[in-house]
Amino acid sequence: MRIDIITIFPQMVEAGLAEGVVGRARTRGVLDIVVHDLRAFTTDRHHVVDDVPFGGGPGMVMKPEPLFAAVEALTERRGAPDAVVMTSPAGKPFLQRDACRLACLGHVVWLCGRYEGIDERVHAALATEEVSIGDYVLSGGELPALVMVDAVARLVPGVVGDEDSIVADSFSRGLLDFPHYTRPAVFRGMRVPDVLLSGHHGQIGRWRRLEALRRTAERRPELLATARLDEDERQMLRELGGSSARKDSEGSE
Ligand code: JBZ
């Protein structure tokens, strides 16, 4: 998969892509990720990428010309990308299903916003989607782009070593993950649950599904409305009791 990231802080983005599974996939040639300095696509002496907002008000707005020039230069060299993602606090939420959709594409470009925002014509005529990682105030789109690229990249075959761990991940089944333990079996008086030491794989699997359901009901009850549960899990949820033990069709809230 080919990914291009266009930013005014290329070193910040490069640092986030250098290590871990994504960094290794890059060095192995499984992922072709290139970070571009937006200022390289300006034509003025001072490499200006922002300007005052029409209509007045505080802060600056990212100019459209360098962003269009960057994507057009990429299009000339590599062909038109399959998607152009614009990070923005005003975007739709970026969810696991978006990561899955983008991971199936051959070539995706990310545009990182800075200042008060990006000229709306970038959304209208250059980006194919405008997405946000969550409801908190950030100072730019570089960290959101890194979050999204990480979520996409680990779904590309060969990036994560153990395919099973992708399937087992939180959200792949729409539930929070179960609790994990490693040695020692007793640490500062806190014991690992006996079932995990039993070697009984049927019971261990059942315990993990129950704990995943318990956590989800406790921390993210709204996820239960869309989680893919089998009849066994629906029964476990009823046995957990309380208002969180509602049926799929009844929805959340
Ligand atoms: C994002 C204009 O720069 C920003 C500022 C905040 C921000 C982004 C870009 S993208 N927040 C998010 O994904 O939530």
Side-chain angles (χ1 to χ4, degrees):
M1 182 182 191
R2 165 77 179 208
I3 292 174
D4 292 285
I5 306 171
I6 300 165
T7 170
I8 61 165
F9 294 123
Q11 292 175 331
M12 175 184 180
V13 174
E14 277 291 356
L17 298 168
E19 300 187 71
V21 289
V22 172
R24 240 171 292 128
R26 288 179 82 191
T27 55
R28 285 186 288 122
V30 176
L31 290 174
D32 179 12
I33 308 182
V34 179
V35 182
H36 306 269
D37 186 348
L38 181 65
R39 293 190 197 279
F41 298 93
T42 55
T43 52
D44 64 302
R45 281 200 328 124
H46 295 102
H47 304 292
V48 174
V49 294
D50 62 337
D51 203 344
V52 294
F54 273 122
M60 300 291 273
V61 176
M62 279 182 104
K63 293 165 62 62
E65 301 97 317
L67 289 162
F68 275 80
V71 174
E72 283 160 6
L74 287 172
T75 301
E76 290 201 350
R77 293 171 64 106
R78 316 274 321 185
D82 301 306
V84 178
V85 181
M86 179 177 156
T87 64
S88 158
K92 294 180 186 171
F94 179 81
L95 303 176
Q96 187 64 21
R97 64 167 173 268
D98 299 295
C100 294
R101 178 171 54 78
L102 296 174
C104 289
L105 303 179
H107 182 194
V108 181
V109 175
W110 265 267
L111 310 177
C112 304
R114 276 277 154 176
Y115 312 108
E116 292 309 301
I118 304 180
D119 186 285
E120 184 61 17
R121 289 161 293 189
V122 172
H123 171 235
L126 189 65
T128 60
E129 45 210 288
E130 184 173 349
V131 283
S132 166
I133 60 163
D135 297 337
Y136 23 77
V137 180
L138 300 172
S139 32
E142 282 74 15
L143 292 171
L146 285 169
V147 166
M148 295 179 208
V149 168
D150 189 82
V152 169
R154 49 184 294 108
L155 296 172
V156 172
V159 171
V160 173
D162 186 358
E163 300 271 322
D164 291 346
S165 77
I166 299 176
V167 182
D169 267 334
S170 175
F171 286 116
S172 65
R173 292 185 61 251
L175 292 177
L176 300 188
D177 205 359
F178 52 77
H180 298 268
Y181 293 90
T182 187
R183 289 179 289 189
V186 185
F187 174 68
R188 298 192 181 180
M190 296 176 281
R191 297 184 58 81
V192 172
D194 282 333
V195 63
L196 297 179
L197 311 176
S198 69
H200 193 302
H201 294 289
Q203 280 181 7
I204 291 168
R206 212 183 143 69
W207 180 86
R208 285 177 167 169
R209 291 195 294 159
L210 180 64
E211 294 307 315
L213 287 165
R214 192 196 307 282
R215 274 186 168 182
T216 307
E218 171 69 24
R219 301 175 185 178
R220 300 289 307 278
E222 79 281 7
L223 294 179
L224 294 172
T226 48
R228 293 182 301 280
L229 305 181
D230 61 24
E231 192 40 53
D232 212 27
E233 290 164 331
R234 287 178 196 289
Q235 183 56 34
M236 287 190 216
L237 202 49
R238 284 189 288 271
E239 284 169 14
L240 283 173
S243 57
S244 55
R246 65 168 84 75
K247 287 212 300 292
D248 206 1
S249 56
E250 290 168 29
S252 60
E253 256 134 23

